Structure formats: structure tokens, C-alpha cells
């Protein structure tokens, strides 16, 4: 039997937040990046996910030499604490020049800005000792379909990805799909779309995906099946585990909070595929509830990691022989009952439907 995976965890500084939402301001005071980095190891995390401007604040107003200097400082802060950068992602949705999207904007100077920002992100990633760049294509979509030509938009996304691949022969690009928010519809809404564009690119071996549980749910899809699809293509480069209670705003709830069984199946798919054995991180893109106090600022991260590890135990202790027998008997009712009892931690005898009174005999 192969050795059990020792999972490594990551999150981004934005996951320790001040609680602002579209209807109200901050309710907790901010921590500096350095203070946040101090908490990673004590919380059980060693990977740090960054936006470009999490590393270099005010990036657009700085000279290349200033950007490099700041990136080197942050890289040193990581090293001092025994941490590593997992990836850097261009924040392409804040600047007025990206109001109508970056890669797919109808304005050529806006598109040039977006490409340039991505190339500077690659420079920062290089300084941070990571080859990985994540593209969450926040505004690459439309509020109304007539606003852009969707076919041209797909071509423009592909063109930009190819330019990034050309710019640095070492860079890997991980697309994080999301179907909506902030746009009504996004152009790469699912991992299927992301993987299709990866194969179309000039170097498919360097383009893959990052799946966020909540984003898959918002697309009406099952996160575990989405992960399985990417794993089957060798293209699951990272995950943003979290949870989402139905089709509403992107909630980034703690992992397992809304649907523990779905969380179990995500862990099961990852564990069975040996995810993590090739150095992949278990990323948690979770948000603490706005109602929490300042001193609770990191509780959701510790809780989500803990839930993940409990679910790993559940996956490792499932009775595979019984599962196989129930599958062969096509007794999925019993398999369902067994799964629920296993998750609840209650004894698992008497799960077969054959324990039922003989309904057939009574003609029902
Ligand atoms: C947006 C989202 C982002 C990305 C990083 O919904 O998930 O946090 O994960 O830019
Ligand atoms: Mn995310």
C-alpha cells in the first residue's frame, strides 16, 4: 500500500478579512501582511496564496525596480517563517481600466493594461520562487449578451494566455473558473471550459485549473465530480475548498459548513487520486462570518482545516469491502444508509435493504 498523503495547506491574506460586505463597512480592524504571515504555521498552514498587490501594494504606481525590491522583501518574510508562496494572481478587477473586463474588454488600451499586469505578476511570482500564476477571470464576461462578441472574447483570452506562456518558459497558468459574480455570466464558468482552453493553448502541459467548491456549486455542479474531471485530465493544480448554501452570492463558508456529505466526497476524490502527493496544496478560500469578533479572525481557517482532516479519516476508514458488496448488489439505498451512518459515527450493522419486511410477498 502506498504511503498516506501528508497534506499541506494554504490560504491567502484576503481570507483574514475585516468583514465589509456590499451593505456595510468593516467591523474588524485590519492586520498587516507581516502579522498575518506570523499566524500561518501556528494555524497549520505553510503555503501562501497571493494577489500581485497583496505582495506589492500600489503596484500600478511603482517602477519595475521598486516592484522587484518589495517582492524580494516579502519572499524573505516567507523564508524567515518557513513558508512558501503557492501562487500569485493578478488582481484584474479593481482598476478603472478593467471596468469592462481586461482580456475581453472592448477597448484595446484596457486589454493592453490587463496583459501588462499579468506579465508583471509573472515577474513577481519569479521573485517569490513560484512558477504558478492563477487567473480568476472576474470581469471577463458580460452583464448583457449583446455587449461583447463571445467568440472573439474566447479568442482574446486564449491569445493572452499564449502571450503569458511565451513571456516566461517556466510559468504555469492555473485558471480558477467561476460562473457569475461580479458578472451576470462569465466566459470560463466551469473547469470543462478551463481545460478546453488549456488544450488549445500553445503549451497545454503548463495550463491547468484551480477548482473552488463554491464556484462549482454556483454553476449548479457537484464540486467532487468537477475535481474528478480535472484529475482525470491531470489538470487539478490547486483547490479552493469552502462551502456554499445554494444559489446566492458567493459565500465562501467554512469547508463542510453547508453540506458535510459533499465535503466528504470532495476529500474522497482528492485522496483516492493521490492529490497532494505531487506537492499540490489544499487551499482554503474561506471567509469568517461578519458577526465574529476581532479575536476570531482566523477561526474559520483552523475549523476548515480540521474538518478536512476529520474527513480524510472518514475516507480512510470507510468499509471498502462492504461498499463493493452493496455496489455489486446494486443496493444503493443500503450504500446511502451506510455512508450516512459512517459520517455520523454510529454503528453500521443492519444497513441492507433486505432487512425490510418482505414487501414483494405482499404484492406492493
Ligand atoms: C473569487 C475568488 C477569489 C480568487 C482569488 O470568488 O474566489 O478569491 O480565489 O483571486
Ligand atoms: Mn477562490
Amino acid at each position: 500500500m502506498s504511503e498516506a498523503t501528508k497534506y499541506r495547506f494554504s490560504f491567502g491574506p484576503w481570507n483574514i478579512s475585516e468583514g465589509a460586505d456590499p451593505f456595510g463597512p468593516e467591523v474588524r480592524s485590519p492586520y498587516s501582511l507581516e502579522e498575518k504571515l506570523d499566524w500561518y504555521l501556528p494555524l497549520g498552514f505553510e503555503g501562501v496564496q497571493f494577489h500581485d498587490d497583496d505582495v506589492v501594494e500600489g503596484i500600478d504606481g511603482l517602477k519595475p525596480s521598486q516592484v522587484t525590491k518589495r517582492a524580494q522583501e516579502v519572499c524573505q518574510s516567507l523564508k524567515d517563517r518557513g513558508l512558501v508562496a503557492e501562487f500569485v494572481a493578478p488582481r484584474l478587477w479593481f482598476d478603472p481600466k478593467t471596468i469592462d473586463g481586461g482580456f475581453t474588454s472592448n477597448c484595446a488600451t484596457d486589454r493592453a493594461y490587463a496583459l501588462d499586469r499579468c506579465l508583471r505578476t509573472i515577474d513577481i511570482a519569479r521573485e517569490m520562487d513560484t512558477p504558478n500564476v492563477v487567473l480568476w477571470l472576474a470581469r471577463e464576461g458580460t452583464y448583457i449578451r449583446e455587449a461583447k462578441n463571445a467568440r472573439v472574447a474566447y479568442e482574446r483570452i486564449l491569445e493572452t494566455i499564449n502571450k503569458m506562456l511565451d513571456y516566461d518558459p517556466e510559468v504555469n497558468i492555473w485558471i480558477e473558473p467561476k460562473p457569475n459574480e461580479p458578472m451576470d455570466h462569465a466566459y470560463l464558468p466551469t473547469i470543462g471550459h478551463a481545460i478546453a482552453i488549456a488544450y488549445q493553448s500553445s503549451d497545454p502541459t503548463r495550463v491547468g485549473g484551480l477548482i473552488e467548491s463554491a464556484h462549482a456549486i454556483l454553476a449548479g455542479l457537484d464540486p467532487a465530480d468537477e475535481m474528478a474531471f480535472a484529475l482525470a485530465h491531470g489538470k487539478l493544480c490547486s483547490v479552493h475548498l469552502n462551502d456554499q448554501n445554494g444559489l446566492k452570492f458567493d459565500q465562501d463558508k467554512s469547508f463542510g459548513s453547508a453540506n458535510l456529505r459533499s465535503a466528504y466526497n470532495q476529500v474522497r476524490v482528492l485522496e483516492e487520486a493521490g492529490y497532494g502527493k505531487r506537492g499540490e496544496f489544499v487551499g482554503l478560500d474561506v471567509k469568517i462570518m461578519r458577526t465574529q469578533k476581532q479575536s476570531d479572525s482566523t477561526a474559520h481557517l483552523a475549523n476548515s482545516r480540521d474538518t478536512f482532516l476529520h474527513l480524510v479519516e472518514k475516507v480512510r476508514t470507510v468499509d471498502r469491502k462492504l461498499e463493493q458488496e452493496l455496489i455489486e448488489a446494486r443496493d444503493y439505498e443500503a450504500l446511502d444508509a451506510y455512508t450516512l451512518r459512517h459520517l455520523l459515527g454510529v454503528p453500521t450493522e443492519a444497513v441492507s435493504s433486505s432487512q425490510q419486511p418482505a414487501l414483494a410477498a405482499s404484492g406492493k
Side-chain angles (χ1 to χ4, degrees):
M1 227 174 83
S2 73
E3 216 167 284
T5 312
K6 243 185 128 305
Y7 288 101
R8 296 195 302 161
F9 297 87
S10 62
F11 69 88
W14 67 88
N15 294 115
I16 300 175
S17 69
E18 294 81 53
D21 70 16
F23 304 97
E26 288 76 11
V27 289
R28 294 176 291 270
S29 17
Y31 292 103
S32 69
L33 177 61
E34 309 285 313
E35 285 173 306
K36 291 180 184 180
L37 294 180
D38 283 341
W39 295 327
Y40 271 73
L41 275 195
L43 284 166
F45 291 77
E46 58 177 291
V48 188
Q49 309 184 336
F50 286 104
H51 295 117
D52 51 0
D53 57 359
D54 292 325
V55 183
V56 184
E57 245 183 273
I59 180 173
D60 280 331
L62 299 179
K63 293 204 276 283
S65 59
Q66 293 171 304
V67 171
T68 305
K69 185 166 169 287
R70 177 62 187 148
Q72 286 168 349
E73 279 167 16
V74 177
C75 188
Q76 191 56 50
S77 297
L78 296 183
K79 283 188 184 137
D80 292 345
R81 292 167 175 78
L83 305 175
V84 291
E86 184 191 1
F87 64 71
V88 186
R91 197 193 293 275
L92 284 170
W93 52 95
F94 248 64
D95 191 272
K97 289 190 276 305
T98 58
I99 195 166
D100 194 24
F103 306 176
T104 66
S105 168
N106 286 319
C107 166
T109 50
D110 293 351
R111 293 199 298 277
Y113 165 80
L115 171 63
D116 182 59
R117 181 94 185 225
C118 289
L119 301 186
R120 280 183 289 151
T121 297
I122 295 174
D123 295 339
I124 293 172
R126 224 188 267 133
E127 295 299 338
M128 304 282 292
D129 287 341
T130 174
N132 309 320
V133 166
V134 164
L135 293 179
W136 169 49
L137 297 171
R139 297 193 191 277
E140 312 306 344
T142 50
Y143 298 112
I144 56 164
R145 298 300 83 72
E146 298 82 3
K148 289 180 188 170
N149 179 322
R151 187 181 42 73
V152 170
Y154 291 122
E155 286 165 8
R156 285 179 171 159
I157 293 172
L158 179 61
E159 208 176 288
T160 317
I161 287 173
N162 285 341
K163 284 184 178 155
M164 292 171 69
L165 292 170
D166 272 1
Y167 179 72
D168 182 341
E170 306 278 300
V171 74
N172 300 316
I173 299 174
W174 301 346
I175 300 168
E176 179 181 350
K178 180 175 177 182
N180 61 284
E181 197 200 39
M183 307 309 289
D184 178 39
H185 278 280
Y187 286 133
L188 297 184
T190 71
I191 197 66
H193 294 77
I195 289 179
I197 217 155
Y199 284 132
Q200 248 188 326
S201 76
S202 58
D203 189 354
T205 61
R206 291 194 285 139
V207 187
L210 178 159
I211 295 183
E212 172 163 326
S213 325
H215 297 177
I217 295 164
L218 285 169
L221 298 167
D222 180 78
D225 284 354
E226 291 291 275
M227 287 173 194
F229 179 81
L231 286 161
H233 287 266
K235 290 210 171 293
L236 189 63
C237 305
S238 190
V239 289
H240 270 177
L241 300 185
N242 58 16
D243 215 344
Q244 171 74 28
N245 188 16
L247 300 182
K248 47 189 86 165
F249 63 94
D250 186 8
Q251 295 181 303
D252 295 341
K253 281 173 168 288
S254 288
F255 185 50
S257 160
N259 188 338
L260 196 55
R261 186 166 179 181
S262 165
Y264 163 73
N265 279 299
Q266 291 170 60
V267 175
R268 185 175 165 122
V269 158
L270 296 173
E271 167 83 0
E272 284 177 358
Y275 180 89
K277 285 199 194 306
R278 295 162 293 271
E280 306 96 321
F281 277 96
V282 174
L284 293 161
D285 196 2
V286 288
K287 189 182 273 173
I288 196 132
M289 287 179 244
R290 191 167 190 265
T291 41
Q292 294 306 110
K293 297 187 184 65
Q294 183 84 24
S295 55
D296 300 330
S297 293
T298 58
H300 57 313
L301 292 157
N303 292 338
S304 294
R305 180 183 177 278
D306 205 41
T307 300
F308 179 91
L309 289 171
H310 280 300
L311 290 172
V312 169
E313 263 324 287
K314 285 289 169 190
V315 173
R316 289 180 183 167
T317 54
V318 78
D319 185 342
R320 298 279 171 174
K321 195 163 156 282
L322 176 60
E323 279 192 339
Q324 201 44 47
E325 280 166 17
L326 297 174
I327 289 167
E328 274 161 28
R330 207 186 283 162
D331 193 349
Y332 300 152
E333 280 295 338
L335 181 59
D336 189 38
Y338 167 66
T339 304
L340 290 175
R341 280 163 181 66
H342 180 60
L343 287 177
L344 287 165
V346 297
T348 54
E349 326 49 74
V351 292
S352 167
S353 318
S354 59
Q355 306 280 330
Q356 294 283 313
L359 298 182
S362 69
K364 298 226 174 88

